[in-house]
């Protein structure tokens, strides 16, 4: 007896090219292919978002699979089940009939089942004399066998994405904790820096993160937070090195030891070459211990207040005001345009201006400001000069002069004797703490 496998649905239900594609895939499944139906169902459940299925539709699919007597589904076997709506509703925990029909259509659209409707739309099976099924009308489970590998790959993709999302959330939590606590530590330890602005940057980064964010956005926020974290950590590590110079005896250990106006003022601010101007002392290389971060403008102004007298417009508020004041101080120090231009090219305009401000602050101790600037430029070209120790030395001298008049407890910020403690190091007085709390640092 010849039979025909129906392709189109019964009644007013329309046919689509997607249904045709699902039937073509099901027809192409090799004979002898066997899959564990509950294992495949587990993969479908994990990949339901990519497939477009819903939790209610998967409840119906679970019920349909339960009507197949075998645990394994094979490509050459009978894969059509024909339960009535009442039976399906019972196994779907009492789902209403309208909801059942709607989610059956979802399973068909997702390509998880195929309708094999009878001429009158009823579901039944015609059996032969031996009891074997000759023709069945109902729901074909062939796509479960044909697409088993695809469902497994989709489930693995979902698992990998969930794991990546979990790792991204953990990384975000750790970075947020580290950034906030490092900023608090920097403020409590009076580390110089514009910590108010850094905290505003942190808040600006976090404001981009909604309550429910996709993984890509979380990764972008984590990338920005990691950059901010790296900057803060570099500042704190550099400041820690200035507080603990015992690991390198030359760090801040070469400040002025006499009051001769023409003595090696240069050795107070930078690591020396083998030939110092006016001496033959050999300096250990401390280039590695020099901080690599930018100096805050407020700290520079506190160390070099004399340059503020040349500022136009009522004071120095920005780096551009500082650079303009340095341009006015250059001819007063008799520094030639060529020496200044060379210093700007080697050090950068900002660091050259800081060096000039330091020279202007101690102009009474330098016989030739132009020659001294050229010497600093040569050292900077060799990577053996930093404006950080120069400014710190000026702050040390300023605070040492104030100690006798302030009469306030001081806290060691950095040792200057090169022995890791007990020397006449840089001290933080109440006056400097007030300076660091000034609104221009926030």
């Amino acid at each position: 007896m010849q039979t025909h496998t129906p392709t189109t649905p019964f009644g007013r239900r329309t046919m689509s090219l997607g249904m045709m594609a699902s039937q073509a895939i099901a027809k192409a499944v090799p004979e002898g292919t066997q899959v564990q139906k509950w294992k495949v169902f587990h993969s479908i459940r994990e990949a339901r978002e990519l497939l477009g299925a819903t939790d209610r539709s998967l409840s119906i699919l679970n019920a349909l699979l339960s009507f197949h007597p075998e645990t394994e589904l094979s490509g050459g076997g009978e894969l059509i089940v024909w339960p009535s709506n009442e039976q399906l509703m019972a196994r779907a925990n009492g789902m209403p009939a309208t909801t059942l029909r709607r989610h059956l259509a979802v399973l068909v659209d997702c390509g998880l089942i195929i309708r094999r409707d009878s001429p009158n739309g009823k579901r039944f099976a015609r059996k032969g004399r031996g009891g074997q099924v000759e023709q069945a009308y109902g729901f074909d489970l062939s796509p479960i066998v044909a697409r088993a590998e695809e469902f497994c790959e989709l489930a693995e993709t979902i698992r990998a994405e969930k794991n990546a999302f979990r790792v991204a959330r953990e990384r975000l939590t750790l970075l947020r904790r580290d950034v906030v606590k490092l900023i608090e530590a920097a403020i409590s330890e009076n580390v110089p820096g514009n910590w108010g602005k850094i905290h505003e940057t942190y808040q600006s980064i976090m404001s981009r993160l909604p309550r429910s964010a996709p993984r890509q956005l979380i990764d972008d926020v984590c990338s920005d937070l990691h950059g901010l974290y790296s900057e803060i950590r570099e500042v704190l590590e550099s400041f820690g090195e200035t507080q603990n110079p015992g690991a390198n005896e030359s760090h801040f250990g070469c400040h002025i030891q006499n009051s001769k106006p023409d003595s090696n003022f240069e050795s107070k601010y930078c690591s020396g070459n083998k030939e110092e101007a006016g001496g033959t002392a050999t300096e250990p290389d401390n280039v590695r211990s020099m901080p690599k971060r930018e100096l805050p403008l407020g700290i520079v102004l506190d160390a070099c207040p004399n340059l503020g007298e040349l500022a136009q417009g009522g004071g120095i508020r920005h780096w551009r005001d500082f650079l303009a004041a340095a341009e006015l101080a250059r001819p007063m120090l008799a520094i030639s345009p060529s020496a200044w231009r060379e210093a700007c090219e080697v050090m950068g305009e900002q660091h050259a201006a800081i060096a000039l401000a330091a020279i202007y602050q101690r102009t009474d101790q330098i016989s030739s400001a132009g020659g001294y600037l050229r010497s600093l430029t040569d050292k900077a070209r060799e990577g053996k000069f930093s404006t950080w120790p120069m400014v710190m030395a000026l702050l040390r001298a300023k605070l040492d002069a104030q100690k006798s008049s302030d009469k306030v407890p001081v806290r060691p910020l950095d040792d200057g004797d090169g022995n890791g403690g007990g020397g006449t190091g840089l001290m933080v007085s109440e006056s400097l703490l007030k300076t660091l709390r000034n609104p221009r640092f926030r």
Side-chain angles (χ1 to χ4, degrees):
M1 180 178 62
Q2 292 183 348
T3 60
H4 175 72
T5 302
T7 301
T8 58
F10 171 77
R12 291 179 295 178
R13 298 188 185 98
T14 58
M15 188 66 183
S16 66
L17 294 179
M19 295 180 185
M20 293 290 294
S22 298
Q23 295 180 20
I25 294 174
K27 187 181 297 184
V29 59
E31 292 188 10
T33 304
Q34 293 185 342
V35 297
Q36 296 285 337
K37 64 179 183 181
W38 298 121
K39 183 177 180 180
V40 179
F41 177 75
H42 181 73
S43 298
I44 293 173
R45 185 172 58 190
E46 289 189 343
R48 64 181 181 274
E49 295 180 359
L50 297 179
L51 294 172
T54 62
D55 54 347
R56 304 296 292 275
S57 63
L58 292 185
S59 297
I60 299 173
L61 180 60
N62 180 74
L64 288 173
L65 289 173
S66 68
F67 282 103
H68 194 280
E70 304 295 334
T71 303
E72 291 187 350
L73 303 179
S74 59
E78 182 60 47
L79 297 177
I80 297 178
V81 293
W82 53 91
S84 64
N85 282 354
E86 289 75 13
Q87 291 174 319
L88 275 177
M89 287 187 293
R91 295 202 184 184
N93 303 318
M95 184 180 295
T98 54
T99 305
L100 175 70
R101 287 192 291 269
R102 185 169 65 253
H103 289 289
L104 280 172
V106 171
L107 292 176
V108 173
D109 293 338
C110 293
L112 296 175
I113 61 174
I114 299 174
R115 288 184 183 273
R116 302 296 188 187
D117 290 345
S118 65
N120 61 0
K122 301 296 183 179
R123 304 182 199 119
F124 62 91
R126 184 180 296 111
K127 299 182 180 181
R129 292 184 178 181
Q132 71 277 12
V133 176
E134 293 181 349
Q135 181 71 39
Y137 299 101
F139 300 106
D140 191 352
L141 303 177
S142 298
I144 303 295
V145 181
R147 302 175 61 186
E149 293 185 3
E150 176 189 351
F151 297 147
C152 183
E153 292 175 358
L154 292 176
E156 185 63 31
T157 301
I158 290 294
R159 285 192 290 267
E161 178 63 23
K162 287 182 178 179
N163 183 66
F165 185 79
R166 178 182 58 81
V167 172
R169 295 278 303 201
E170 291 177 356
R171 184 187 179 203
L172 175 65
T173 301
L174 294 175
L175 283 172
R176 290 180 63 180
R177 184 183 70 192
D178 285 351
V179 170
V180 171
K181 291 196 173 184
L182 286 180
I183 292 176
E184 292 176 354
I187 295 175
S188 64
E189 295 290 338
N190 299 315
V191 178
N194 196 344
W195 299 111
K197 181 65 175 177
I198 292 176
H199 190 263
E200 290 178 2
T201 303
Y202 164 74
Q203 291 180 327
S204 175
I205 294 174
M206 293 307 302
S207 64
R208 295 159 39 199
L209 199 64
R211 183 176 295 274
S212 298
R215 182 179 63 84
Q216 291 76 11
L217 180 58
I218 294 178
D219 287 339
D220 293 341
V221 171
C222 285
S223 178
D224 294 341
L225 281 180
H226 186 268
L228 183 63
Y229 161 76
S230 300
E231 294 178 5
I232 297 173
R233 182 173 178 177
E234 182 179 353
V235 170
L236 296 183
E237 288 179 349
S238 299
F239 186 76
E241 291 176 0
T242 64
Q243 280 190 311
N244 184 22
N248 192 330
E249 296 182 357
S250 66
H251 196 65
F252 289 126
C254 51
H255 57 279
I256 294 179
Q257 301 292 343
N258 54 64
S259 58
K260 293 171 60 179
D262 295 330
S263 64
N264 292 340
F265 178 67
E266 175 183 348
S267 64
K268 181 177 181 178
Y269 304 121
C270 60
S271 60
N273 290 330
K274 292 185 179 297
E275 295 182 2
E276 289 288 336
T280 59
T282 301
E283 299 281 356
D285 184 13
N286 66 348
V287 177
R288 291 179 300 174
S289 63
M290 288 185 178
K292 299 179 176 59
R293 66 186 179 91
E294 296 295 330
L295 279 164
L297 177 60
I299 296 297
V300 177
L301 293 177
D302 195 60
C304 309
N306 291 352
L307 191 68
E309 301 173 358
L310 304 180
Q312 299 178 351
I316 297 176
R317 295 176 298 275
H318 308 285
W319 279 111
R320 60 176 178 270
D321 299 335
F322 185 82
L323 296 176
E327 288 287 351
L328 294 177
R330 181 192 60 79
M332 299 175 62
L333 294 172
I335 297 176
S336 65
S338 61
W340 174 243
R341 183 169 55 254
E342 184 180 3
C344 291
E345 291 175 355
V346 175
M347 303 181 193
E349 191 174 9
Q350 182 173 311
H351 287 284
I354 294 174
L356 188 143
I359 296 174
Y360 187 76
Q361 186 67 26
R362 290 296 181 88
T363 184
D364 57 330
Q365 299 184 19
I366 302 174
S367 59
S368 175
Y372 179 61
L373 181 61
R374 288 187 183 275
S375 175
L376 296 182
T377 302
D378 293 338
K379 292 180 180 293
R381 186 180 290 109
E382 298 174 2
K384 296 183 178 181
F385 170 72
S386 171
T387 54
W388 173 272
M390 172 179 275
V391 172
M392 290 297 104
L394 288 172
L395 282 175
R396 182 189 299 113
K398 178 181 178 181
L399 294 175
D400 287 344
Q402 291 177 351
K403 279 195 299 183
S404 58
S405 58
D406 287 348
K407 302 299 183 181
V408 296
V410 294
R411 183 178 64 86
L413 177 65
D414 179 33
D415 262 341
D417 61 352
N419 295 321
T424 58
L426 178 60
M427 313 294 285
V428 176
S429 65
E430 290 297 330
S431 61
L432 181 55
L433 292 179
K434 291 179 182 179
T435 301
L436 296 177
R437 297 190 185 103
N438 192 289
R440 69 170 177 258
F441 295 109
R442 295 193 166 95

